[in-house]
Amino acid sequence: MAVPRNSSLSNPFAALRHKSFRLYWLGMSVSLIGTWMQNVAEPWLAYSLTGSPFLLSLTGTLQFLPMLFFSLFAGVIVDRFPKKTLLICTQTGALLVTLSLSILIWSGSVQYWHLLVAATVLGLVNTLDMPLRQAFVIEMVGKEDLMNAIALNSSVFNVARVLGPAVAGVLMSTVGIAVCYTINAASFLAVIVSLLFIRPRPVARNGSMNGGMLKSIGEGLQYIRKNRLLLKTLVLVLIVGTFAMNYNVLVPVFSKAVLHQEETGYGLLMSFVGIGSFTGAMLVAAMCKNGPRQTVLNVFPLLIGTLLVLTGLTGAYPLTALGLAATGFCFVSFTSTANTTLQLNTPDQYRGRVMSVYAWVFGGSTPIGNLFSGTVAEHAGAAPGFVACGAMILLPVGLWMLWRWRRKQAAA
């Protein structure tokens, strides 16, 4: 059914008319299911091996810690070298690390320190892979379909977040955790094969990129500092990314200690996060006609903080599931809007560096949030962990919005 010309809705699958993006999207559809199966299996394995919420949080911390130190350098690499070639390298590296861990688990010799080493190496790979994937999208679809493509990427990410945890929960309770790692290792092949057939668009390159690494980083940071919209967006992503990305720490502990669930119940809770996130992504894809909406950037962080607090106060499985679904909806709507805002307001020659800062504040801040939530859960429980994380979003964002309101009142 055709959408009327005066409708605010657009074709939610518009970006799929580009062959390169269609191939990439299909490859990612397969790979991300495997990724989410491992994302569910890893914290459960870590918690089973140690029985400690803090040691569980440490695996997540190490997986994101390299972003904190190396994301800015990764942005320069993304701007200097062909993104398709780099993506093939990062996906191959992730495959090898996951396959090694799978072999260790199948052999029965896996130990907690193996998880720490694997998390660190994967963190190094993802430090380059994350800004790379973000900056590569526009080379497949152009600016016209960029927001739609970002939302579609988010939608398939969250379909995988629904299917992966549900399948992983069943397999973990019947076959064992090792099969989740094996499936994930095999799934990377789908992306690698799709990349071999992709023909990206040529992009403009800046002659100043011939300078040193630190000089190039400085130029990127200066560009962000002078652009108020980019700076504001990144600050909000920093706050939300730090304290809302703690599902891998809080949900398994909350599921086992508060809701008294086993693997299947835990997997289904993670699936509810995915259901809400997928709904948010498809809504953004269908409403991308008018571009990113500033209301989403300004209001949704407050909604996310409120929902985290309410989720921590629930003790019933259905209410927890609904709270996680609603949080996922708001979180993906916010991050898709932030991502598009950054890319549409950044020229090609700075895109890798701007998106590396996005990866730095979004993923690099996660170790801090993981340690924070893990420490609170260790000493006070998972429920206070949710409440504390929500409060850490509500306080700074609420004060910032109050300051902006008072400033507008004074100006009037």
Side-chain angles (χ1 to χ4, degrees):
M1 178 176 161
V3 178
R5 287 183 178 273
N6 61 350
S7 172
S8 62
L9 300 179
S10 59
N11 178 7
F13 302 102
L16 293 180
R17 63 191 174 92
H18 303 276
K19 181 180 178 181
S20 290
F21 181 73
R22 189 162 63 247
L23 290 170
Y24 176 80
W25 190 77
L26 289 172
M28 290 299 296
S29 299
V30 175
S31 180
L32 284 168
I33 292 175
T35 297
W36 272 104
M37 290 178 68
Q38 180 171 324
N39 285 348
V40 169
E42 184 172 284
W44 193 268
L45 177 59
Y47 193 50
S48 299
L49 289 173
T50 65
S52 167
F54 177 77
L55 292 178
L56 160 61
S57 71
L58 195 57
T59 59
T61 298
L62 290 178
Q63 188 164 338
F64 287 99
L65 194 61
M67 288 187 186
L68 199 59
F69 296 105
F70 302 118
S71 278
L72 300 183
F73 297 95
V76 177
I77 295 172
V78 171
D79 279 335
R80 286 187 175 182
F81 297 99
K83 298 177 182 63
K84 172 182 167 179
T85 303
L86 291 175
L87 268 172
I88 292 174
C89 293
T90 58
Q91 293 296 304
T92 302
L95 186 159
L96 294 174
V97 174
T98 305
L99 182 61
S100 300
L101 202 52
S102 170
I103 293 171
L104 285 170
I105 300 172
W106 278 117
S107 66
S109 57
V110 68
Q111 298 179 37
Y112 174 68
W113 70 269
H114 292 144
L115 300 184
L116 298 182
V117 172
T120 303
V121 177
L122 280 175
L124 289 169
V125 171
N126 288 332
T127 296
L128 179 59
D129 188 72
M130 185 174 176
L132 190 54
R133 283 187 287 107
Q134 303 291 345
F136 189 54
V137 173
I138 200 169
E139 294 186 20
M140 293 184 282
V141 302
K143 286 190 174 182
E144 180 185 355
D145 291 322
L146 177 62
M147 186 170 185
N148 183 265
I150 289 172
L152 283 177
N153 275 343
S154 184
S155 70
V156 74
F157 178 88
N158 289 293
V159 166
R161 182 183 267 182
V162 176
L163 297 177
V167 174
V170 173
L171 290 177
M172 285 161 61
S173 61
T174 56
V175 183
I177 285 179
V179 70
C180 297
Y181 286 84
T182 304
I183 292 174
N184 187 33
S187 72
F188 284 112
L189 292 172
V191 179
I192 295 171
V193 171
S194 72
L195 286 168
L196 296 177
F197 294 94
I198 287 174
R199 299 291 179 265
R201 302 179 178 197
V203 295
R205 299 202 179 273
N206 193 337
S208 66
M209 286 300 292
N210 295 323
M213 179 77 75
L214 293 178
K215 179 184 175 184
S216 297
I217 291 173
E219 290 172 351
L221 294 176
Q222 276 289 97
Y223 178 78
I224 292 170
R225 186 182 67 82
K226 292 177 181 178
N227 189 313
R228 291 185 63 184
L229 178 59
L230 297 187
L231 185 60
K232 181 197 82 170
T233 302
L234 287 168
V235 169
L236 288 172
V237 171
L238 173 65
I239 296 169
V240 175
T242 301
F243 298 106
M245 283 285 289
N246 299 309
Y247 302 120
N248 62 325
V249 175
L250 294 174
V251 174
V253 180
F254 193 85
S255 176
K256 182 174 278 191
V258 178
L259 302 178
H260 309 294
Q261 298 293 313
E262 296 300 327
E263 291 93 336
T264 303
Y266 159 60
L268 287 174
L269 278 182
M270 294 298 287
S271 291
F272 270 95
V273 178
I275 291 169
S277 300
F278 171 74
T279 306
M282 291 308 298
L283 183 63
V284 171
M287 299 184 69
C288 66
K289 183 178 179 180
N290 298 320
R293 305 187 178 210
Q294 293 303 299
T295 302
V296 175
L297 287 180
N298 295 330
V299 176
F300 274 43
L302 293 174
L303 293 177
I304 292 168
T306 302
L307 286 166
L308 286 173
V309 171
L310 293 176
T311 301
L313 296 176
T314 66
Y317 191 93
L319 292 177
T320 303
L322 288 175
L324 291 174
T327 304
F329 174 88
C330 293
F331 183 76
V332 166
S333 300
F334 169 77
T335 55
S336 295
T337 302
N339 190 322
T340 308
T341 299
L342 293 173
Q343 295 213 50
L344 288 179
N345 291 278
T346 302
D348 290 338
Q349 61 265 33
Y350 287 106
R351 183 164 288 107
R353 281 168 285 179
V354 169
M355 296 316 293
S356 73
V357 176
Y358 172 78
W360 181 62
V361 300
F362 183 69
S365 61
T366 301
I368 300 170
N370 275 351
L371 284 176
F372 174 80
S373 60
T375 301
V376 174
E378 179 86 23
H379 296 288
F386 273 115
V387 174
C389 287
M392 293 298 286
I393 296 173
L394 285 171
L395 185 61
V397 177
L399 288 174
W400 172 73
M401 290 196 69
L402 177 62
W403 174 78
R404 282 192 65 198
W405 178 76
R406 295 193 66 177
R407 190 179 178 186
K408 286 183 179 179
Q409 290 290 105

